[in-house]
Amino acid sequence: MDIGQYDIILVDDSEEVAELTRLALGTRKLADKMTWFADAELAQDFFFAQGGYAERKEAHPALILLDLNLPLMSGHEFLQIIKSNAATAHIPVVMFSSSEDQRDIDQSYDLGANGYVVKSADPKEFMGTVADTGAYWLNRNRPARGSDGPPPGRLPSASGNG
């Protein structure tokens, strides 16, 4: 899979969530457009061409679905990094969490989240929410572009978790 203009990056430590997300996106024919990272540090390496991604060109996905509770680096920490960098600040980030705590929701928006979606424990409801979220951000939303020039070409796939 190529990372291009119409891709979803999922950052979530659950393999089950990643698989259900891929299946849900498949209902809207968006499944081939998702790359999964099991932790925020690996996603950070990917976005900022560090570590195993040092040779990768810039990525401009249409959406990042970001879990709040992650190992190593929290979703809020990763959100703050993405939104404070001029090269990535324009990328929509939707927090994707089981937390309904208003403090988590408020902090997410304070840090620049573009949305906050609560994960349902019911697989059918979960998949419907994911499909609707993906379809909106890929088919209806008109993304901003970073100030670093025109949209990049297609990029090589993330290896390992994608």
Side-chain angles (χ1 to χ4, degrees), residues 3 42 44-59 152-159:
I3 303 296
L42 189 57
Q44 180 182 5
D45 286 351
F46 174 78
F47 274 99
F48 299 106
Q50 302 168 3
Y53 302 104
E55 300 300 316
R56 191 194 55 69
K57 294 180 172 58
E58 292 182 42
R154 305 295 282 177
L155 302 174
S157 173
S159 59

Side-chain angles (χ1 to χ4, degrees), residues 13-137:
D13 60 331
S14 169
E15 189 171 343
E16 180 181 7
V17 165
E19 187 57 32
L20 284 173
T21 300
R22 194 175 307 280
L23 288 170
L25 294 173
T27 65
R28 303 283 175 93
K29 304 205 183 324
L30 303 170
D32 63 329
K33 302 291 188 181
M34 186 188 97
T35 299
W36 170 50
F37 295 101
D39 68 66
E41 287 189 349
L42 189 57
Q44 180 182 5
D45 286 351
F46 174 78
F47 274 99
F48 299 106
Q50 302 168 3
Y53 302 104
E55 300 300 316
R56 191 194 55 69
K57 294 180 172 58
E58 292 182 42
H60 292 273
L63 176 65
I64 299 171
L65 289 174
L66 178 59
D67 188 19
L68 183 60
N69 299 307
L70 294 166
L72 307 175
M73 178 191 306
S74 76
H76 282 151
E77 290 171 310
F78 182 69
L79 175 63
Q80 188 169 21
I81 290 167
I82 289 292
K83 291 299 184 176
S84 66
N85 187 296
T88 56
H90 68 283
I91 300 170
V93 178
V94 172
M95 300 307 288
F96 192 51
S97 179
S98 58
S99 173
E100 294 186 60
D101 186 320
Q102 192 62 48
R103 292 172 296 195
D104 289 336
I105 296 167
D106 291 346
Q107 185 177 5
S108 295
Y109 284 112
D110 288 346
L111 292 171
N114 300 90
Y116 192 103
V117 175
V118 177
K119 295 180 201 174
S120 173
D122 175 75
K124 186 175 180 179
E125 186 177 333
F126 174 92
M127 290 177 63
T129 299
V130 170
D132 290 345
T133 301
Y136 169 77
W137 286 99

